[in-house]
Amino acid sequence: MSKGVLVDVTRCIGCKACQTACKQWNDMPSSIPEFDNNLGHPAKTNGYTWTTVYHRVVEKDNQDVIRTTKFQCMHCLDPGCVSACFSRAFQRDPKTGAAVYHPHLCVGCRYCMLACPFNVPKYQWDKVFPLVSKCQFCFDPKGKYDRVGHGQAPACVSTCPTQALMFGEREEMLQEAWNRINSNPNYIKHVYGEKEAGGTAWMYISDVPFEELGLRADVTERPIPQYSHEFLKYTPPVIVAWGGLLSAMYFYTKRRKDVAAEKDKGFKA
């Protein structure tokens, strides 16, 4: 059983304490605020900001209301980033459910960025030797940033003043989500993350449609690696066949040269 976080959008007040806690705990640098219509800074996660809070004006019951939502890595149960990373720089810890990035194994191919259905991994474009960057779920085995590995909640969860974030076993968080939904008709009857991309550690409940909060509504319920596995399963036979074809061409060409050389010797004699 892996860990999970339940995000209750109705309880979020947009204070960004989670965003600040993430930066402080992980020693991430701050930057000069540049706000846009989203009223958030930065508007999206980047190489130095692993979690951010969106502010949205949405319509509910014929009134404009503000809803705020935290975004970060969803930590998929079957992560596309892990499947796409041939150097094993991305690995999923089965106990915590964290999809963890190991920079010392990264070769900079950035396939992880293409494989993520939530567009989470970012790149430190401004660095001479850039790395991929994303939320680690506060899981850092044998490192100084580890919280979940020591039985603690992620820094963002611990600092939330309204309990909009709840940490625990994923199955328990999922049950808690449905308990709240079934006891309050104000909620939309959908737990975002229960099935998206095959299921994620981070799950959301809300009283407004998730797509209006900025969450992707077109994410498949099928785990992303299943798509790549279907394609990659043909790779070994293709490699073998291609190798055989090249070998046959080599021996055919060599034989023609040998025959031509023998004929040249005959003419000279």
Side-chain angles (χ1 to χ4, degrees):
M1 185 179 292
S2 59
K3 303 295 183 182
V5 175
L6 173 61
V7 182
D8 191 334
V9 174
T10 67
R11 299 187 182 188
C12 180
I13 58 175
C15 65
K16 301 184 184 180
C18 54
Q19 184 174 323
T20 303
C22 178
K23 276 189 172 288
Q24 288 181 333
W25 181 260
N26 294 291
D27 290 334
M28 305 294 286
S30 59
S31 59
I32 299 175
E34 295 178 358
F35 295 97
D36 61 7
N37 290 335
N38 176 39
L39 301 178
H41 171 78
K44 297 180 180 178
T45 55
N46 56 43
Y48 306 99
T49 302
W50 292 349
T51 185
T52 188
V53 178
Y54 284 8
H55 292 65
R56 303 281 188 182
V57 178
V58 300
E59 184 176 319
K60 180 175 173 56
D61 300 330
N62 298 320
Q63 290 185 332
D64 289 337
V65 297
I66 294 178
R67 289 293 180 271
T68 53
T69 316
K70 178 185 182 301
F71 289 94
Q72 70 299 303
C73 175
M74 297 290 284
H75 294 280
C76 302
L77 303 185
D78 196 355
C81 57
V82 172
S83 174
C85 185
F86 61 87
S87 68
R88 292 185 54 78
F90 277 88
Q91 299 176 29
R92 182 178 184 271
D93 178 67
K95 185 176 180 180
T96 62
V100 181
Y101 172 64
H102 300 277
H104 64 286
L105 297 176
C106 183
V107 298
C109 69
R110 304 193 296 279
Y111 287 164
C112 55
M113 299 172 68
L114 299 174
C116 178
F118 302 104
N119 192 31
V120 168
K122 295 296 186 293
Y123 206 55
Q124 298 171 334
W125 296 100
D126 58 321
K127 283 191 173 180
V128 177
F129 300 104
L131 295 170
V132 174
S133 182
K134 76 168 201 67
C135 162
Q136 302 278 64
F137 210 4
C138 283
F139 181 60
D140 182 26
K142 300 180 181 179
K144 66 177 182 177
Y145 301 114
D146 193 18
R147 292 178 61 91
V148 174
H150 293 294
Q152 295 180 301
C156 57
V157 176
S158 296
T159 198
C160 181
T162 62
Q163 287 76 53
L165 308 177
M166 187 175 182
F167 174 75
E169 300 295 333
R170 183 182 184 272
E171 292 306 312
E172 293 177 1
M173 295 300 98
L174 181 59
Q175 184 60 52
E176 174 66 21
W178 280 112
N179 288 343
R180 295 186 190 182
I181 291 173
N182 291 329
S183 62
N184 187 344
N186 200 36
Y187 285 107
I188 292 175
K189 292 191 176 303
H190 179 192
V191 179
Y192 190 92
E194 178 182 8
K195 296 180 180 178
E196 279 76 9
T200 61
W202 281 73
M203 297 172 288
Y204 293 75
I205 56 176
S206 170
D207 60 341
V208 297
F210 294 105
E211 57 268 30
E212 295 183 13
L213 299 171
L215 291 165
R216 283 189 60 182
D218 58 348
V219 177
T220 176
E221 293 186 357
R222 190 177 175 190
I224 299 302
Q226 288 188 9
Y227 293 96
S228 56
H229 287 165
E230 284 198 359
F231 174 77
L232 292 175
K233 70 182 181 182
Y234 296 108
T235 302
V238 168
I239 292 176
V240 172
W242 182 245
L245 177 62
L246 291 177
S247 298
M249 292 176 64
Y250 168 76
F251 286 114
Y252 174 73
T253 304
K254 183 175 183 299
R255 177 59 181 164
R256 289 190 62 181
K257 287 183 177 179
D258 291 343
V259 171
E262 290 296 327
K263 287 183 178 180
D264 289 343
K265 288 182 180 178
F267 287 138
K268 291 178 180 178

